[in-house]
């Protein structure tokens, strides 16, 4: 009996589902039927939304593009030593003072650039019972304008000036009196060099560049004729006999300057090789067109500066020069200094 009712209930539920499905899918034709929809009791209004224009004053930003970059450093070095009269360790009282100013300005806009660099160096040392002597003396001013041709190549024009502030002397002891004697060998604009050059520059990165000056001219100035007159060292009686040198620094006696046309190469390197340590080097090769290849002039200036703290630094400077107009052999100088430096802007 239970089985019968269960079967009957199953059949009835199936018929109900089928009937409900059929009812849901029967279409109803509402055409002709009077169907009225009730109006919503909520009020509704239509209208326009007014928009009022508001005037906004433009914001003015006082910002200017500065195409110039400048950097200035000033360094001062002082060395002093004093000994008592009965100091058994030996030594001589001395005082040495030196200073250097380095100014560099760079202008860059689109494919045009201009660089101006000034280096001023001067230093002196005074030892007891000796004449004052220079430890450094240099005036250097370099200007270069360049127009970019490609990613790494530029067309450039430059002008360079180099000389010294003070008179330079050679020293020797008088054989009779034992006193130290000084002989003038150089001074401001004796010699002085002015170099103009144009050509192509290769600059693959910010810290290295090489100028190839296919058209270069250099004027060598010797304005003081007194350096041509020297004391005759061959006089056995040490009398005041003087001789006139026919040529000094490549300039003939009686003339003020000499002009040379040449091919020139100038390479510059400046990079922070390790933390707070900068290596700077400049190599210059000057090849006159009217002289043999063994008359090529070479000059290398190299310095490495390490910053100890905000003010103190230590620097090593080396210069190598080979110019047969000055001397037949290689000239060189080296200086190690510890001092105070100021940088602008900081």
């Amino acid at each position: 009996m239970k089985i019968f009712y269960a079967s009957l209930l199953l059949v009835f539920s199936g018929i109900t589902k089928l009937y409900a499905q059929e009812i849901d899918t029967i279409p109803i034709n509402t055409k002709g039927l009077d169907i009225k929809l009730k109006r919503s009791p909520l009020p509704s209004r239509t209208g326009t939304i007014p928009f009022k224009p508001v005037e906004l004053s433009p914001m003015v930003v006082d910002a200017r593009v500065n195409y110039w970059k400048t950097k200035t450093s000033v360094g001062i070095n002082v060395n002093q030593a004093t000994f008592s009269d009965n100091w058994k360790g030996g030594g001589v009282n001395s005082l040495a003072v030196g200073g250097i100013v380095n100014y560099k300005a760079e202008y860059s806009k689109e494919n045009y650039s201009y660089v101006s660099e000034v280096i001023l160096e001067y230093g002196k040392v005074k030892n007891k019972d000796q004449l004052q002597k220079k430890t450094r003396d240099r005036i250097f001013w370099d200007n270069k304008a360049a127009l970019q041709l490609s990613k790494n190549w530029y067309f450039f024009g430059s002008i360079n000036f180099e000389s010294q502030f003070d008179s330079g002397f050679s020293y020797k002891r008088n054989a009779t009196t034992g006193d130290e004697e000084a002989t003038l060998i150089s001074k401001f604009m004796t010699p002085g060099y002015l170099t103009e050059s144009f050509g192509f520059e290769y600059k693959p990165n910010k810290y290295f560049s090489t100028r190839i000056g296919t058209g270069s001219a250099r004027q060598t100035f010797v304005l003081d004729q007194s350096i041509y007159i020297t004391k005759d060292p061959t006089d056995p009686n040490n009398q005041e006999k003087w001789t006139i040198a026919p040529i000094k620094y490549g300039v003939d006696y009686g003339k003020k300057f000499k002009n040379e046309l040449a091919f020139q190469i100038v390479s510059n390197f400046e990079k922070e090789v390790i933390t707070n340590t900068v290596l700077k080097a400049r190599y210059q090769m000057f090849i006159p067109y009217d002289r043999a290849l063994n008359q090529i002039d070479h000059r290398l200036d190299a310095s490495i500066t390490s910053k100890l703290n905000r003010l103190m630094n230590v620097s090593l400077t080396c210069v190598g020069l080979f110019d047969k107009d000055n001397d037949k052999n290689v000239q060189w100088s080296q200086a190690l200094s510890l001092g105070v430096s100021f940088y602008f802007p900081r």
Side-chain angles (χ1 to χ4, degrees), residues 8 26 101 104 121 141 144 148 152 182 229 237 249 262 274 279 290 294 305 324 327:
L8 183 61
I26 293 176
V101 177
K104 189 173 184 179
E121 300 180 7
W141 186 19
K144 182 202 67 175
Q148 189 171 13
N152 298 328
I229 305 173
N237 298 322
Y249 302 108
I274 57 178
L279 173 63
D290 60 345
N294 61 355
T305 304
K324 288 190 175 182
D327 198 281

Side-chain angles (χ1 to χ4, degrees), residues 170-221:
S170 62
Y171 301 91
K172 66 177 182 179
R173 291 284 180 180
N174 187 295
T176 304
T177 63
D179 296 333
E180 195 173 32
E181 297 179 345
T183 302
L184 179 68
I185 57 175
S186 64
K187 61 190 307 183
F188 175 71
M189 292 301 291
T190 305
Y193 302 96
L194 184 65
T195 306
E196 307 87 19
S197 181
F198 68 88
F200 300 93
E201 181 183 35
Y202 176 66
K203 190 175 182 180
N205 46 56
K206 293 182 178 181
Y207 57 84
F208 175 78
S209 65
T210 296
R211 306 181 201 172
I212 304 174
T214 54
S216 301
R218 181 174 71 180
Q219 295 80 45
T220 304
F221 297 88

Side-chain angles (χ1 to χ4, degrees), residues 36-48:
K36 295 182 180 181
L37 299 176
K38 292 183 179 181
R39 186 175 181 180
S40 174
L42 299 176
S44 62
R45 296 179 181 179
T46 60
T48 60

Side-chain angles (χ1 to χ4, degrees), residues 9-297:
L9 180 60
L10 181 62
V11 172
F12 178 76
S13 63
I15 294 174
T16 304
K17 289 182 180 180
L18 179 61
Y19 177 76
Q21 183 177 4
E22 290 178 356
I23 293 300
D24 290 341
T25 56
I26 293 176
I28 300 175
N29 186 7
T30 59
K31 186 177 182 181
L33 299 177
D34 187 13
I35 301 175
K36 295 182 180 181
L37 299 176
K38 292 183 179 181
R39 186 175 181 180
S40 174
L42 299 176
S44 62
R45 296 179 181 179
T46 60
T48 60
I49 302 176
F51 292 93
K52 182 180 180 181
V54 178
E55 294 184 0
L56 298 177
S57 58
M59 182 179 294
V60 179
V61 180
D62 188 14
R64 299 179 182 178
V65 179
N66 188 4
Y67 299 102
W68 285 93
K69 292 182 180 179
T70 60
K71 181 174 63 176
T72 305
S73 63
V74 179
I76 302 174
N77 304 313
V78 179
N79 299 308
Q80 182 269 338
T82 304
F83 304 89
S84 63
D85 295 336
N86 60 343
W87 182 258
K88 305 304 181 185
V92 59
N93 298 347
S94 65
L95 176 64
V97 179
I100 179 172
V101 177
N102 192 337
Y103 172 80
K104 189 173 184 179
E106 298 181 70
Y107 176 87
S108 180
K109 183 179 180 181
E110 297 177 354
N111 59 346
Y112 173 78
S113 63
Y114 169 76
V115 179
S116 179
E117 183 176 14
V118 179
I119 300 176
L120 307 176
E121 300 180 7
Y122 189 76
K124 268 197 167 185
V125 59
K126 177 66 174 71
N127 295 328
K128 185 179 179 182
D129 300 328
Q130 295 182 13
L131 298 175
Q132 293 184 9
K133 299 179 177 66
K134 291 192 300 183
T135 56
R136 58 171 62 183
D137 189 4
R138 188 188 186 198
I139 303 173
F140 176 83
W141 186 19
D142 183 66
N143 297 271
K144 182 202 67 175
L147 184 66
Q148 189 171 13
L149 303 176
S150 63
K151 181 180 179 181
N152 298 328
W153 286 94
Y154 298 77
F155 179 78
F156 82 93
S158 67
I159 183 168
N160 177 281
F161 171 76
E162 187 165 4
S163 187
Q164 61 191 55
F165 289 100
D166 202 0
S167 299
F169 300 89
S170 62
Y171 301 91
K172 66 177 182 179
R173 291 284 180 180
N174 187 295
T176 304
T177 63
D179 296 333
E180 195 173 32
E181 297 179 345
T183 302
L184 179 68
I185 57 175
S186 64
K187 61 190 307 183
F188 175 71
M189 292 301 291
T190 305
Y193 302 96
L194 184 65
T195 306
E196 307 87 19
S197 181
F198 68 88
F200 300 93
E201 181 183 35
Y202 176 66
K203 190 175 182 180
N205 46 56
K206 293 182 178 181
Y207 57 84
F208 175 78
S209 65
T210 296
R211 306 181 201 172
I212 304 174
T214 54
S216 301
R218 181 174 71 180
Q219 295 80 45
T220 304
F221 297 88
V222 179
L223 302 184
D224 192 341
Q225 298 289 296
S226 63
I227 68 166
Y228 291 91
I229 305 173
T230 57
K231 190 174 181 179
D232 187 2
T234 61
D235 183 17
N237 298 322
N238 197 30
Q239 297 296 321
E240 295 295 330
K241 291 186 177 181
W242 304 88
T243 59
I244 297 178
I247 188 170
K248 283 283 188 177
Y249 302 108
V251 180
D252 296 331
Y253 175 70
K255 295 184 178 181
K256 298 290 186 178
F257 77 97
K258 179 183 70 172
N259 185 57
E260 293 179 286
L261 299 178
F263 177 84
Q264 186 183 51
I265 294 178
V266 178
S267 296
N268 288 280
F269 180 91
E270 184 174 1
K271 185 180 181 182
E272 187 178 28
V273 289
I274 57 178
T275 304
N276 294 329
T277 301
V278 177
L279 173 63
K280 183 177 181 180
R282 174 186 171 92
Y283 169 73
Q284 176 179 312
M285 181 172 63
F286 190 83
I287 310 174
Y289 287 131
D290 60 345
R291 289 194 283 177
L293 292 180
N294 61 355
Q295 299 292 322
I296 298 176
D297 299 337

